[in-house]
Amino acid sequence: MDQQELIGQLQQGSESAFVRLVDEWQDMVYNTALGIVQNAEDADDIAQEVFIQVFKSIRSFKGDAKLSTWIYRITITKSLDHEKRKKRKKRFAFVQSLFGDGNEEEAQPAEFNHPGVQMENKEKATGLLQAIDRLPEKQKVAFVLHKLEGQSHREIAEIMKTSLVSVESLIARAKTNLRKLLTEYYKDKIIEPEKDPL
Amino acid sequence: MKKQEQINKLIEETLESLEGVARAEAKPFLMTRIRARMFRHTESAWDRAGWFIGRPAVLLTGLCLILFINAVVVVFNRQPGKAAPIEQLSQSPNDEFSYTVATIYDIENTQP
């Protein structure tokens, strides 16, 4: 079954076509969401939302872009919405703590480990993912699509509805920012060896 | 100096730590969870209306509109209004003894 046929069947409401779509794209959706929200439970929730959205909106899909590009766009939008909601909740909790008795302890998120990282790189990748999480939205999306999904700059430009030059600039700025963030990270970690008093 | 070199080396290694990363796999039975969610969550018109009204932009616009209407009402009520017409309580003598021209019907009806 080619993609056009799959889209046609989906637009007619075929459940078997929907099952096939989920089977085919679930890892792509989950991995992208995981890269952005950096939490397995949230990424699973987003993946469900994405496919429900795809099922609801497939009739409005005109075929201007590839199906995968369209699904990527929905995933990114849902993931970024989730991040915004999370930040709003954090701000609200902070305001509440100002008026509360001050006993509430802020839950610190556990360090995120991407399951696909090779064992010898785990520690460094954890630091890098922490830094990625602090990047501005667009830089984060471009970097995640490039590094975790292995997308080319041209494909990223299509997904983000921007030019190739913009994507290259976004990734370059992301790298610069990551270098700055990692410098701070390692400055705190590395302790200068004590000098011999003799 | 040595520390900075060490940091630079670590940064380069860290930036390359995601090279060759495998794609994370979704948890099993995603389709089952999607189906359950689709049946569980049937949005009513009220849910959608609530969601729409609850959006910060809509909420703020509504609030501003209410405040604006209030301000307009206050400003217009503050303007010196026209003095209320004093009711004429006593009938003037002119009115009392006025001669009104009878219509053609009155004239006709005077005849028994």
Side-chain angles (χ1 to χ4, degrees):
Chain A
M1 194 195 291
D2 72 337
Q3 210 171 89
Q4 211 51 45
E5 203 180 329
L6 178 72
I7 294 164
Q9 287 189 5
L10 282 167
Q11 286 175 334
Q12 283 165 9
S14 159
E15 204 186 323
S16 63
F18 183 57
V19 172
R20 196 170 160 247
L21 175 106
V22 173
D23 264 355
E24 199 168 321
W25 308 107
Q26 58 180 347
D27 291 343
M28 177 197 94
V29 169
Y30 178 74
N31 191 45
T32 308
L34 187 66
I36 297 172
V37 300
Q38 302 199 359
N39 179 294
E41 300 298 319
D42 293 347
D44 188 61
D45 254 8
I46 291 165
Q48 291 173 38
E49 280 178 27
V50 168
F51 285 112
I52 292 171
Q53 185 69 53
V54 167
F55 187 74
K56 282 180 181 172
S57 326
I58 192 72
R59 281 190 183 88
S60 65
F61 178 69
K62 294 184 185 81
D64 301 338
K66 281 193 286 183
L67 186 61
S68 60
T69 306
W70 187 62
I71 297 174
Y72 266 127
R73 283 180 195 154
I74 297 175
T75 309
I76 291 163
T77 309
K78 294 266 178 203
S79 304
L80 293 177
D81 281 351
H82 180 276
E83 286 289 275
K84 280 175 197 158
R85 274 202 302 274
K86 209 163 74 178
K87 276 179 189 161
R88 259 205 308 272
K89 270 187 192 169
K90 261 187 192 174
R91 275 201 296 270
F92 184 66
F94 172 73
V95 173
Q96 251 189 341
S97 73
L98 291 178
F99 294 103
D101 53 8
N103 289 336
E104 300 92 347
E105 278 180 26
E106 198 180 327
Q108 290 296 322
E111 276 187 352
F112 169 67
N113 289 303
H114 191 282
V117 175
Q118 288 160 359
M119 192 55 87
E120 63 270 23
N121 289 336
K122 281 260 182 224
E123 204 187 322
K124 288 191 178 90
T126 304
L128 179 58
L129 286 162
Q130 273 179 24
I132 291 172
D133 202 32
R134 292 172 64 188
L135 287 176
E137 224 169 58
K138 282 187 177 177
Q139 291 177 25
K140 185 179 179 180
V141 170
F143 199 80
V144 164
L145 286 173
H146 184 54
K147 288 285 175 184
L148 294 181
E149 273 296 299
Q151 293 291 324
S152 68
H153 290 187
R154 193 171 293 280
E155 283 163 328
I156 296 168
E158 206 178 314
I159 293 165
M160 293 179 79
K161 286 184 181 172
T162 187
S163 66
L164 187 61
V165 180
S166 301
V167 172
E168 281 165 357
S169 157
L170 277 173
I171 291 178
R173 274 186 281 148
K175 279 183 182 166
T176 311
N177 285 333
L178 285 172
R179 280 202 173 88
K180 281 181 197 163
L181 290 164
L182 288 171
T183 308
E184 285 170 32
Y185 176 78
Y186 283 121
K187 264 184 186 167
D188 293 340
K189 279 208 160 187
I190 295 173
I191 304 158
E192 281 225 68
E194 281 178 37
K195 282 177 187 168
D196 194 355
L198 296 174
Chain B
M1 191 64 188
K2 202 174 178 184
K3 187 181 169 184
Q4 191 55 47
E5 276 173 20
Q6 201 181 349
I7 288 173
N8 288 343
K9 190 172 170 269
L10 274 168
I11 289 170
E12 291 312 315
E13 283 172 6
T14 306
L15 283 171
E16 282 165 20
S17 64
L18 286 179
E19 295 297 330
V21 63
R23 191 180 249 177
E25 285 176 18
K27 289 177 190 172
F29 311 114
L30 178 66
M31 191 60 218
T32 314
R33 290 195 296 283
I34 292 169
R35 269 204 195 105
R37 198 162 173 158
M38 279 168 104
F39 284 113
R40 190 178 63 218
H41 194 67
T42 47
E43 240 180 18
S44 71
W46 284 111
D47 287 336
R48 283 197 296 271
W51 172 84
F52 179 74
I53 294 165
R55 288 170 68 186
V58 177
L59 208 65
L60 270 174
T61 312
L63 200 68
C64 289
L65 197 68
I66 290 168
L67 287 174
F68 175 73
I69 291 168
N70 273 299
V72 167
V73 168
V74 168
V75 166
F76 276 90
N77 280 344
R78 230 186 250 171
Q79 282 178 347
K82 288 172 189 168
I86 300 161
E87 279 184 45
Q88 203 167 0
L89 295 174
S90 60
Q91 208 174 9
S92 67
N94 279 351
D95 288 346
E96 209 170 325
F97 300 103
S98 68
Y99 171 74
T100 51
V101 179
T103 61
I104 184 80
Y105 306 107
D106 294 333
I107 295 162
E108 276 177 353
N109 290 333
T110 49
Q111 299 294 324

